Amino acid sequence: MVPPNVAAAIRGAGRPVCAYVYARERLRANVAALRDALPAGTRIAYAMKANGNEDVVAALRGHVDAFEVASGGELRAAAGLPAIFSGPAKTDADLRAAVEAGATVNVESLHELRRLQVYGGAKVCLRVNRTHPALPGTHAMAGVPTAFGIDEALLPEAFAIARNVQGFHLHAVSNNLDAAAHAAFIREAVAWAGDAARRWGVPAPVINVGGGFGVDIAAPTGTGGRFDLDVFKAGLAGLELPDGATLVVEPGRFVAATAGWYATEVVDVKRTHGQWFVVVRGGTHHFRLPASWGYSHPFTVLPVDAWPYPFERPGVRDATVTVAGEQCNPRDVLARDAAVASVRAGDVLVFAGTGAYGWEVAHHDFLRHAHPQFITV
Ligand SMILES: *Cc1c(COP(=O)(O)O)cnc(C)c1O
């Protein structure tokens, strides 16, 4: 089901329809639900890279405690809220800007740590790639060899370089749907950080366990796997933090994914070599995940009854279709073998669960088609 306010926004969009719709209420509800499951006092930093749309960022101000940023551009967009800056290739200009903005810098290497010492007064957390089993999820970043963080074995050197370390950053994975495993990861990370803080003399440590709360975008209506917040909350019950410690999380996908809908109008419906193709005005250059992850994104057909031409309207009933985009290449496919009751040229396909890592990671300017509209409700 497309929420009525989202459907109304799509019906009011320019034709042929091609739009992202973001819902402020849903963004805030997702933050509130996560906050309720976390220990009291946990700080929530929204990972802006999941969706850096201005309206989305504005809608979250006052509802999150900080923004997690991964570039100088995101740092500027965070202005007004505390920023937490991660990223493996920060430039000197990035570091300078971060210190000027009072951001916490999650330092990713010894070299970066040495460069940061040039600017006195930097707020430093060490991003550590610990020795632990990799978590379930789509992008393991710690516990395995990656470009992220400082190897645990190098911590003595890190503390020899810097005395102003405030804590640890332990972001390890993205899109983990196993809430029990994620709670166990956080418990273990807190215990590790407590030990490390004692060993290295870090008072009142910041313990940033990162993001990674999963959303099954192939079943955004909740019919498939989902990150079960009740299981997560139960898994964290009674968690004790070291004295004075602050727990920080950095959700991106969990906040934004279900707060976005990608709507694109059917331009043509046709059959070749025995297969039905529904050709839409947009495609994977607007919403790239189906192409990059190799899955079919579910959609709803929003019927549009008006038909402007005096001739036959292409369409098909009770069929299995492939939804192809406007690009001149055969990989521009949003869904394959999707069952539809009825779809016609002029109808609009609405893809729910597209608010995170959708537009942000797409190759927008390939082929120079017009960008979609962006509507916030
Ligand atoms: C990408 C990222 C996040 C957000 O990850 P999600 O899987 O979207 O929650 C948080 N922290 C860091 C350091 C990141 O790189």
Side-chain angles (χ1 to χ4, degrees):
M1 269 300 294
V2 182
N5 59 340
V6 173
I10 292 168
R11 289 192 184 282
R15 302 289 303 275
V17 173
C18 190
Y20 267 102
V21 182
Y22 300 131
R24 294 182 179 91
E25 256 176 55
R26 192 66 75 87
L27 289 163
R28 293 168 181 164
N30 289 342
V31 172
L34 193 58
R35 200 183 285 287
D36 175 66
L38 287 161
T42 302
R43 291 174 64 77
I44 297 183
Y46 170 60
M48 201 186 285
K49 75 171 184 291
N51 188 328
N53 175 278
E54 269 183 20
D55 288 353
V56 167
V57 171
L60 288 168
R61 275 178 199 283
H63 296 263
V64 295
D65 305 297
F67 288 122
E68 191 272 338
V69 302
S71 70
E74 289 190 348
L75 180 67
R76 284 189 291 282
L81 269 198
I84 301 174
F85 194 170
S86 304
K90 299 182 198 79
T91 64
D92 285 342
D94 289 339
L95 294 177
R96 200 178 317 119
V99 172
E100 274 167 17
T104 297
V105 181
N106 288 324
V107 171
E108 306 254 0
S109 78
L110 298 181
H111 177 54
E112 184 179 311
L113 188 57
R114 289 191 181 97
R115 287 192 292 141
L116 191 59
Q117 296 312 298
V118 173
Y119 313 101
K123 293 184 197 155
V124 176
C125 281
L126 299 180
R127 180 169 186 179
V128 185
N129 185 342
R130 289 191 301 137
T131 311
H132 64 66
L135 280 165
T138 45
H139 300 57
M141 271 163 271
V144 291
T146 64
F148 307 104
I150 299 170
D151 194 285
E152 188 173 340
L154 295 177
L155 282 183
E157 268 190 76
F159 278 97
I161 296 166
R163 303 207 188 316
N164 55 341
V165 173
Q166 299 188 341
F168 302 97
H169 178 242
L170 304 166
H171 175 70
V173 73
S174 193
N175 208 19
N176 182 10
L177 285 163
D178 184 339
H182 211 76
F185 158 71
I186 290 175
R187 279 184 172 281
E188 206 273 321
V190 165
W192 180 90
D195 285 348
R198 267 188 298 281
R199 178 170 330 142
W200 302 110
V202 179
V206 172
I207 304 177
N208 184 333
V209 293
F213 311 90
V215 179
D216 184 0
I217 48 169
T221 48
T223 52
R226 68 188 182 97
F227 189 89
D228 189 324
L229 285 175
D230 294 333
V231 168
F232 183 58
K233 186 172 183 170
L236 290 178
L239 175 68
E240 290 201 15
L241 295 179
D243 276 351
T246 306
L247 184 64
V248 182
V249 294
E250 302 173 329
R253 189 186 315 274
F254 192 86
V255 173
T258 57
W261 290 260
Y262 176 56
T264 182
E265 184 166 328
V266 177
V267 173
D268 212 337
V269 178
K270 63 208 241 187
R271 193 170 164 85
T272 65
H273 292 272
Q275 279 195 34
W276 283 103
F277 287 84
V278 171
V279 186
V280 296
R281 150 65 182 98
T284 58
H285 52 321
H286 299 163
F287 183 61
R288 191 181 137 117
L289 290 184
S292 53
W293 289 11
Y295 74 100
S296 288
H297 201 96
F299 59 88
T300 307
V301 179
L302 203 65
V304 174
D305 290 333
W307 178 248
Y309 304 106
F311 39 81
E312 189 187 342
R313 185 171 184 177
V316 62
R317 291 185 162 278
D318 298 320
T320 299
V321 303
T322 291
V323 178
E326 64 190 344
Q327 294 171 39
C328 48
N329 81 66
R331 289 173 177 242
D332 185 15
V333 169
L334 294 168
R336 284 182 206 281
D337 300 328
V340 289
S342 168
V343 61
R344 305 163 296 181
D347 289 339
V348 177
L349 305 190
V350 184
F351 296 80
T354 50
Y357 305 113
W359 174 251
E360 283 61 33
V361 302
H363 42 299
H364 313 145
D365 293 321
F366 179 48
L367 282 164
R368 297 197 188 199
H369 287 292
H371 287 181
Q373 258 179 284
F374 291 86
I375 304 168
T376 312
V377 296

